[in-house]
Amino acid sequence: MVTSKGSPALRWGLAVVLVVVVGALAWGAFGGGRAPEQTQQPTAAQQQDDEVTTMLKSLQRRQPDDPFAMGRTDAPVVMIMYEDYRCPFCSKFTSDVKPELIERYVDTGVLRLEWRDFPIFGEESVAVAKAARAAARQGLFWEFHNAAYARGNGGDKPSFPEETIQELAREVGVPDIAKFNADRDDPAIVQEIQTDAFEGQSLGVSSTPSFIINTQPVLGAQPLDQFISVIEAERAKV
């Protein structure tokens, strides 16, 4: 159980009941929107939408020098990514879509990517998540992240036994392997993974990859055009 009082997820005990509203709010963006309101007074549904929007925006950490984020802290659009390293669809997103988003939007200051661990495929998923966070302590999170996902580009669920984790560490050039292995067992790293997972569970995330682009969920390894559509729509709101 996550016990960190600083985690935004712990403020959402009541927010879980809004998950259905989150879905309705999100998919409305893709389905043409609502009919015009007949009154100027905010309706209960509008007020609930506002609460959901505020809650989802509170997920954005925007921490300077966050090793698990990429892009400007003041970017107008933030995409939170709930993923598992053993998920073949996450591998597909990482190889086919993410590089295009980085070139089009991250490098130009429009988009910030924020990673969340959401290990759902057993002990090996947790083991490689711990290893990636240990690599992050030596400044190599994204390098390890990309190398791990490259193991799944064939469309199969990759396996991460101990020897594979050691191979990945050497492949990306982790300078201090002894520290890397010691850090993997640090309870703080386990806590960080649990915090991310609890955050996703509190929102109703049940599969990977799942994304929140500002306030709009996108589920699965959707084609690039789908991400562009949502990013541009969120960018236009600012």
Side-chain angles (χ1 to χ4, degrees), residues 135-157:
R137 292 187 176 182
Q138 299 189 47
L140 291 168
F141 171 72
W142 290 109
E143 290 82 358
F144 193 97
H145 169 281
N146 292 338
Y149 273 134
R151 301 292 175 117
N153 281 347
D156 297 325
K157 189 184 301 177

Side-chain angles (χ1 to χ4, degrees), residues 21-196:
V21 180
V22 173
L25 175 65
W27 304 130
F30 303 131
R34 303 180 179 84
E37 297 293 343
Q38 300 301 314
T39 176
Q40 295 300 316
Q41 296 299 320
T43 65
Q46 287 174 326
Q47 291 175 345
Q48 204 167 40
D49 284 356
D50 289 343
E51 291 175 9
V52 171
T53 296
T54 299
M55 181 191 71
L56 291 177
K57 286 188 175 180
S58 76
L59 294 170
Q60 300 174 4
R61 295 175 183 173
R62 294 185 181 269
Q63 297 171 351
D65 302 319
D66 183 351
F68 310 106
M70 184 185 304
R72 294 171 59 99
T73 57
D74 61 350
V77 184
V78 174
M79 184 165 82
I80 300 172
M81 309 181 294
Y82 297 92
E83 298 186 47
D84 183 317
Y85 289 104
R86 298 192 67 208
C87 165
F89 298 106
C90 299
S91 295
K92 181 174 178 59
F93 167 79
T94 298
S95 64
D96 296 351
V97 176
K98 191 178 75 172
E100 290 290 333
L101 296 182
I102 291 171
E103 182 177 352
R104 287 175 182 241
Y105 295 115
V106 176
D107 290 346
T108 57
V110 173
L111 179 68
R112 178 174 173 84
L113 304 178
E114 294 190 352
W115 167 265
R116 303 289 191 271
D117 278 299
F118 200 75
I120 58 175
F121 293 117
E123 293 182 4
E124 287 189 1
S125 293
V126 175
V128 70
K130 290 162 61 178
R133 286 182 175 268
R137 292 187 176 182
Q138 299 189 47
L140 291 168
F141 171 72
W142 290 109
E143 290 82 358
F144 193 97
H145 169 281
N146 292 338
Y149 273 134
R151 301 292 175 117
N153 281 347
D156 297 325
K157 189 184 301 177
S159 181
F160 290 97
E162 179 62 24
E163 56 268 27
T164 299
I165 288 175
Q166 296 301 320
E167 288 173 6
L168 288 169
R170 292 191 294 270
E171 178 183 327
V172 302
V174 171
D176 190 335
I177 295 294
K179 173 176 168 52
F180 168 80
N181 288 324
D183 284 343
R184 289 163 56 203
D185 293 326
D186 187 342
I189 279 182
V190 176
Q191 180 70 49
E192 291 165 2
I193 294 170
Q194 290 176 339
T195 296
D196 281 1

